[in-house]
Amino acid sequence: MRATYRVLAYLLALEVVVQAAAIAWAVFGLSTWIENGGVLDKAGLESDAIVFDGVTGFMVHGLNGQIIVPAIALVLFIVSFFARFPRAVAWAGAALVTVIVQVALGIFSHTLPALGMLHGAVALVLLVVALIAARKASGPVSVETSTDASTGAHAAQV
């Protein structure tokens, strides 16, 4: 389960990179489209008529951020109970809480745009937490020795 935990944690970190790339693609595509004469208003946002290079980035960022990233974080948290290394649950829990905060910030940033700065900063926190969790799962397996009282022999427990 440590390997599964490690893969999920690295996958969560990779998803942060995918999210950053998707939103950058979308915003740069939109700004280029506007610079070339495109006009964006509420009606355009709500229709499928506006097409520019990068429009798919908005969709990828939204769906990935609200479905895939939370699902990975939840599965990581569940797996953490079986991973059997120190603080596995704590790191996975921190990742899950960070994802919940991140999703909430993404949603509320549409009402209060200044929250978008926190949304970007918390993404970096999630990246670091996921990488630390993955590295912790990569650490050495601790070996404890105990003495069998009846035989006096030492037994290793992993």
Side-chain angles (χ1 to χ4, degrees):
M1 279 297 177
R2 282 173 69 125
T4 303
Y5 182 101
R6 184 175 52 249
V7 167
L8 288 168
Y10 277 131
L11 188 57
L12 193 56
L14 178 63
E15 284 294 332
V16 173
V17 174
V18 168
Q19 286 295 89
I23 200 63
W25 178 34
V27 169
F28 286 119
L30 178 61
S31 67
T32 300
W33 180 73
I34 290 171
E35 287 172 4
N36 291 328
V39 178
L40 184 65
D41 59 7
K42 184 170 175 58
L45 280 175
E46 295 173 352
S47 74
D48 291 332
I50 294 181
V51 178
F52 56 88
D53 182 28
V55 72
T56 305
F58 284 117
M59 181 184 66
V60 168
H61 188 80
L63 292 174
N64 200 38
Q66 290 184 5
I67 297 171
I68 296 173
V69 171
I72 293 170
L74 182 59
V75 172
L76 176 65
F77 186 65
I78 293 167
V79 166
S80 72
F81 290 98
F82 307 101
R84 304 225 182 227
F85 66 91
R87 309 210 24 98
V89 175
W91 283 109
L96 181 61
V97 168
T98 305
V99 167
I100 291 168
V101 169
Q102 184 67 344
V103 171
L105 285 170
I107 292 169
F108 293 126
S109 292
H110 291 281
T111 304
L112 185 58
L115 289 176
M117 291 186 293
L118 282 176
H119 182 69
V122 172
L124 297 177
V125 171
L126 178 57
L127 177 67
V128 169
V129 167
L131 288 173
I132 290 172
R135 293 291 305 224
K136 295 288 184 182
S138 300
V141 176
S142 64
V143 177
E144 300 173 14
T145 59
S146 64
T147 304
D148 185 355
S150 63
T151 64
H154 292 286
Q157 297 174 341
V158 178

